[in-house]
Amino acid sequence: MSSSKKIRVLVAKPGLDGHDRGAKIVARALRDAGMEVIYTGLRQTPEMIVEAAISEDVNVIGLSILSGAHNALFPKIMELLKAEGGDNILVIGGGIIPHDDVPALKAVGIAEVFGPGTPLADIVGYIESNVKL
Amino acid sequence: MGSEKGLRKTFKEWDEGPVAKTLAKFPERKEQFETLSGIPVDRLYGPSEKALMEYEQELCFPGMFPFTRGVQPTMYRGRFWTMRQYSGFATAKETNERFKFLLNQGQTGLSIAFDLPTQIGYDSDNPLAQGEVGKVGVAINSLADMELLFDGIPLDKVSTSMTINAPAAILLAMYIAVGEKQGVPMNKLRGTIQNDILKEYVARGTFIHGPKESMRLITDTFKFCSENMPLWNTISISGYHIREAGSTAVQEVAFTLANGIAYVDAAIKVGLDVDSFASRLSFFFGSHSDFFEEIAKFRAARRLWAKIMHDRFGAKDDSSCRMRFHTQTAGCTLTAQQPDNNVVRVTLQALQGVLGGTQSLHTNSRDEALSLPTEQSVQIALRTQQIIAYETGVGDTIDPLAGSYFIEHLTDEVEKRAMEYIIKIDDLGGAPAAIEKGFIQREINDSAYEFQQAIDNSTRVVVGLNKFTVEEEQQFDYLRVDPAVEAEQIGRLQEMREERDQAAVEKTLEALRSAAESDSNLMPLILDAVKAYATLGEMCGVLREVFGEYRAPDIL
């Protein structure tokens, strides 16, 4: 892959959660790292997120949730994404997500979960090493 | 101003006026206060004879304009702040048990956390509520849930704060209805609805309608309460969420007070006299990690609001100028790493709130960067407040840091810088216009990003996170909301719908609709619908149809 191709990322807030400080900071850090970032804004349903990811032809989806609804919403998003042929998209998550929940989220295809205190550079580095362009 | 003679005279007036009056009604906790070594502690310490310049104008005495030194003449010598832990999860029944646990542990007020569907006006069986029911708070669909929530808790004995904004009028109506059933009339109810929609657009996200329609609901509650609920705080103008979204202390004061100005403007515009409602406005701030700046912030906010109410709005009653506020320790400073360290952070932040003269306080639990707090963590958080109150003696004299060169300087600086922002916001057309233009959001986002960068490059140290780190296995006892809660809640909701008088529900909802289309005050109609067991989702559904829904601009 040519290194000049920009990584396209959708940063999304699924569910009703209004805590978007983390999502916005991550979006900005990815943009500063040279990626093209689309931020969905609040209150996105799984359907809206998957539709935006496909139509914007993104390489990465970053899901942020702090309300505790991740176990219901993340698997739904992965299911829809598969059905729409988005298997190649790297999906990562972040927010208040108890450790015990992570294995089940990884099992449905969430590549990595970044908790509170993660340095922004770790997220940038993870995407750069794992994205499929 | 500020002459020695003038000050002595004002002191005498204070002592014989507000203090004597307060003591007659509320005696202090002790006849005499003293330190551990037996040194007597007076109610108040003032400036030395040399340092009287501007004292009267800028600080004055507790309970006197501009309230820099506190809003009551005796402050914590009379009664400690209200210990009010924000709590709520799962169903009304489980939250009722947590409330009773907290009251048994010596908590003195209640504070309800609602789940997101409730906050956004959806019943638990709405498809958009999936996965969210009972998660960040308790699910309340109708009066039936509210009755369960307060089962065995007499509403004439507690004060209750409700973190509810877009549907605040509806939850207030449910509380009134529960009170009536318990035989407590609404003019005896004490508590607060947050009811602060403007900060939802910039920081918290639980709006339903656009600013214009939302402001109408707010002024409707102001009017209703000014006539019927003299003890009720009609709004809690909140800087907490602005701060949690990433603002600085100065921005927190500025944007909160700018929102406050917008509410007062709106109420005056619909014909309310400023002194008829202003004394029931209350505020809510965060207590972050910069020890002295936070204490100064509380004092500066009080003084600035007093001046705004007096100079800008011409309030005549001192009580209209008196800023009463709730404080919560800063959730965003908690770390998921070495979570027990959070107990220490919370202790310091709680102390800041007390030294800043807060009226009530929530102390965060050590595990909140990981999940909802367990009962044990909540107990430590409450004990933290109790230790500050009962063991340290910090409440034995009023505003003990006043007169510190540094504190007074910081107080002046925070006030001055916040005022500069308020002038800028005025130039943009006021807070609603500044929000519409994205100005406030961008300011907050920039501060949040800078803060995060400072942590990432270690110019700001967070102990256990970017310095003094350890390898640790996360082993914590999480509070889990059972996924079965959602189905259980939906089951009860559907049962309730089958049992109620459907015709009565429809009639009240139709009345609500036509009132929404006109100018009439919606509170009485909401109360009728609540009493007929119309659900929150049904009432908000009607209002959504009439008022429409707001779509926030996405500003990075």
Side-chain angles (χ1 to χ4, degrees):
Chain A
M1 271 296 140
S2 112
S3 59
S4 64
K5 191 177 177 230
K6 278 195 171 181
I7 300 169
R8 288 174 65 79
V9 188
L10 182 76
V11 174
K13 284 289 301 174
L16 304 179
D17 179 27
H19 295 94
D20 55 0
R21 176 175 179 171
K24 285 173 168 178
I25 287 176
V26 169
R28 210 150 148 178
L30 300 181
R31 193 175 281 172
D32 283 357
M35 302 180 198
E36 276 178 27
V37 180
I38 302 136
Y39 172 53
T40 61
L42 300 178
R43 290 195 216 168
Q44 302 293 302
T45 62
E47 288 80 5
M48 289 157 87
I49 292 167
V50 170
E51 197 192 309
I54 300 293
S55 68
E56 295 283 352
D57 194 22
V58 299
N59 315 108
V60 183
I61 302 175
L63 301 170
S64 163
I65 220 172
L66 287 83
S67 71
H70 48 273
N71 288 335
L73 297 175
F74 283 9
K76 184 114 187 266
I77 292 165
M78 295 313 293
E79 189 186 307
L80 291 169
L81 195 61
K82 275 197 192 104
E84 295 294 324
D87 306 52
N88 263 344
I89 300 176
L90 175 71
V91 185
I92 56 177
I96 304 286
I97 296 175
H99 262 218
D100 305 354
D101 291 351
V102 173
L105 298 177
K106 287 195 171 171
V108 299
I110 305 289
E112 193 53 84
V113 174
F114 298 95
T118 307
L120 295 169
D122 289 8
I123 301 171
V124 172
Y126 182 87
I127 291 175
E128 284 171 345
S129 334
N130 292 280
V131 68
K132 299 182 200 91
L133 288 179
Chain B
M1 274 292 179
S3 76
E4 206 176 308
K5 222 183 219 166
L7 189 75
R8 288 239 172 82
K9 193 168 150 262
T10 316
F11 178 82
K12 204 160 168 260
E13 280 167 17
W14 174 69
D15 201 42
E16 289 168 3
V19 173
K21 212 167 114 198
T22 300
L23 289 178
K25 254 164 94 188
F26 309 103
E28 293 181 340
R29 282 181 285 114
K30 300 179 200 170
E31 283 282 317
Q32 262 192 329
F33 290 82
E34 56 182 40
T35 67
L36 280 178
S37 35
I39 303 167
V41 177
D42 285 349
R43 181 170 299 115
L44 192 78
Y45 290 86
S48 68
E49 302 275 308
K50 288 180 197 155
L52 295 176
M53 281 287 281
E54 294 184 349
Y55 176 87
E56 204 174 337
Q57 202 179 340
E58 295 298 317
L59 299 174
C60 208
F61 297 109
M64 289 177 86
F65 190 92
F67 305 101
T68 314
R69 302 202 63 185
V71 293
Q72 294 130 356
T74 58
M75 289 299 289
Y76 310 135
R77 284 168 69 99
R79 181 177 73 73
F80 290 122
W81 59 93
T82 303
M83 300 181 189
R84 195 190 291 283
Q85 298 296 91
Y86 183 47
S87 64
F89 61 98
T91 62
K93 190 170 164 289
E94 277 154 294
T95 300
N96 175 267
E97 283 163 16
R98 177 65 72 97
F99 282 175
K100 286 176 176 163
F101 167 79
L102 286 165
L103 291 169
N104 282 332
Q105 295 295 315
Q107 172 166 291
T108 48
L110 294 174
S111 172
I112 313 174
F114 296 100
D115 71 358
L116 284 165
T118 304
Q119 294 188 48
I120 301 174
Y122 297 123
D123 288 337
S124 298
D125 58 352
N126 188 299
L128 292 172
Q130 209 197 341
E132 311 268 17
V133 175
K135 284 282 162 48
V136 303
V138 57
I140 299 293
N141 296 149
S142 74
L143 178 57
D145 291 327
M146 204 69 161
E147 288 164 1
L148 214 53
L149 186 64
F150 286 99
D151 182 50
I153 302 174
L155 299 195
D156 54 347
K157 297 282 190 305
V158 292
S159 70
T160 303
S161 170
M162 294 188 250
T163 298
I164 195 75
N165 294 281
I170 294 171
L171 273 300
L172 174 59
M174 288 184 187
Y175 195 77
I176 294 170
V178 171
E180 268 179 31
K181 294 207 166 187
Q182 289 188 0
V184 184
M186 64 175 115
N187 64 8
K188 292 264 160 44
L189 296 175
R190 287 178 303 124
T192 307
I193 39 174
Q194 197 162 76
N195 209 16
D196 169 14
I197 202 69
L198 291 173
K199 64 91 174 59
E200 296 296 325
Y201 300 119
V202 300
R204 199 168 168 278
T206 70
F207 45 78
I208 301 176
H209 318 295
K212 191 169 153 260
E213 295 76 17
S214 300
M215 290 301 255
R216 175 201 169 169
L217 280 165
I218 292 168
T219 50
D220 279 0
T221 53
F222 282 8
K223 187 152 198 299
F224 180 84
C225 292
S226 74
E227 289 159 4
N228 301 290
M229 304 183 78
L231 306 177
W232 196 264
N233 297 315
T234 51
I235 192 166
S236 171
I237 307 166
S238 304
Y240 182 79
H241 316 91
I242 291 171
R243 191 64 183 280
E244 286 288 295
S247 84
T248 64
V250 167
Q251 290 170 335
E252 180 188 4
V253 172
F255 301 157
T256 307
L257 269 54
N259 287 345
I261 289 169
Y263 294 123
V264 175
D265 269 334
I268 290 173
K269 208 171 269 173
V270 298
L272 293 178
D273 175 64
V274 67
D275 287 310
S276 75
F277 66 88
S279 69
R280 298 320 300 174
L281 306 175
S282 65
F283 289 80
F284 174 20
F285 294 109
S287 188
H288 209 272
S289 52
D290 192 320
F291 192 79
F292 293 113
E293 182 176 64
E294 291 301 296
I295 296 166
K297 175 188 81 179
F298 298 124
R299 301 172 84 245
R302 242 186 334 255
R303 181 161 75 204
L304 187 50
W305 184 247
K307 290 180 183 170
I308 288 168
M309 290 309 291
H310 182 267
D311 302 346
R312 180 173 182 142
F313 293 112
K316 288 183 192 70
D317 292 349
D318 262 5
S319 62
S320 302
C321 306
R322 200 176 56 172
M323 172 189 270
R324 296 165 302 124
F325 65 92
H326 173 69
T327 301
Q328 178 169 343
T329 59
C332 64
T333 64
L334 301 178
T335 59
Q337 295 73 21
Q338 303 177 42
D340 283 343
N341 294 345
N342 292 325
V343 174
V344 184
R345 294 191 176 96
V346 168
T347 305
L348 290 166
Q349 294 167 7
L351 183 59
Q352 292 156 199
V354 171
L355 292 172
T358 193
Q359 276 55 66
S360 58
L361 180 63
H362 167 102
T363 32
N364 289 332
S365 297
R366 60 188 165 160
D367 43 3
E368 290 186 62
L370 301 160
S371 70
L372 289 177
T374 61
E375 202 162 88
Q376 200 198 359
S377 296
V378 172
Q379 191 179 49
I380 294 173
L382 178 59
R383 293 288 180 260
T384 304
Q385 297 198 35
Q386 290 163 336
I387 289 167
I388 292 173
Y390 292 95
E391 295 184 8
T392 66
V394 293
D396 290 354
T397 187
I398 304 165
D399 191 29
L401 297 190
S404 145
Y405 298 125
F406 184 45
I407 282 288
E408 295 303 351
H409 172 72
L410 276 179
T411 304
D412 292 347
E413 279 298 308
V414 172
E415 182 191 6
K416 189 181 103 200
R417 289 165 192 239
M419 193 60 211
E420 285 165 9
Y421 259 120
I422 290 173
I423 290 168
K424 208 179 289 177
I425 291 166
D426 281 341
D427 289 343
L428 290 170
I435 292 166
E436 203 61 47
K437 293 183 173 97
F439 169 75
I440 291 175
Q441 297 92 313
R442 270 190 291 272
E443 289 289 315
I444 297 171
N445 294 349
D446 287 350
S447 297
Y449 195 48
E450 274 169 37
F451 192 86
Q452 185 61 41
Q453 285 176 316
I455 292 173
D456 281 4
N457 65 30
S458 291
T459 51
R460 166 172 287 279
V461 170
V462 180
V463 172
L465 178 67
N466 60 7
K467 205 175 172 104
F468 314 114
T469 56
V470 292
E471 283 297 318
E472 58 183 332
E473 277 288 301
Q474 265 204 11
Q475 281 189 330
F476 228 80
D477 193 17
Y478 297 118
L479 178 83
R480 289 273 181 192
V481 176
D482 185 346
V485 157
E486 191 158 317
E488 185 197 320
Q489 176 67 22
I490 291 171
R492 275 208 332 200
L493 167 63
Q494 286 167 349
E495 230 168 79
M496 187 282 298
R497 281 211 189 98
E498 275 159 29
E499 281 167 14
R500 66 186 183 178
D501 177 353
Q502 193 57 32
V505 171
E506 274 156 32
K507 201 172 135 226
T508 58
L509 288 176
E510 267 324 297
L512 176 61
R513 181 190 305 275
S514 33
E517 285 162 350
S518 78
D519 287 335
S520 9
N521 194 317
L522 297 182
M523 263 311 287
L525 296 129
I526 290 172
L527 195 51
D528 288 345
V530 159
K531 287 180 184 168
Y533 291 86
T535 68
L536 171 96
E538 289 161 347
M539 288 179 267
C540 288
V542 165
L543 296 179
R544 278 185 155 96
E545 283 168 28
V546 181
F547 292 159
E549 290 194 58
Y550 183 71
R551 175 95 181 91
D554 302 322
I555 297 157
L556 275 186

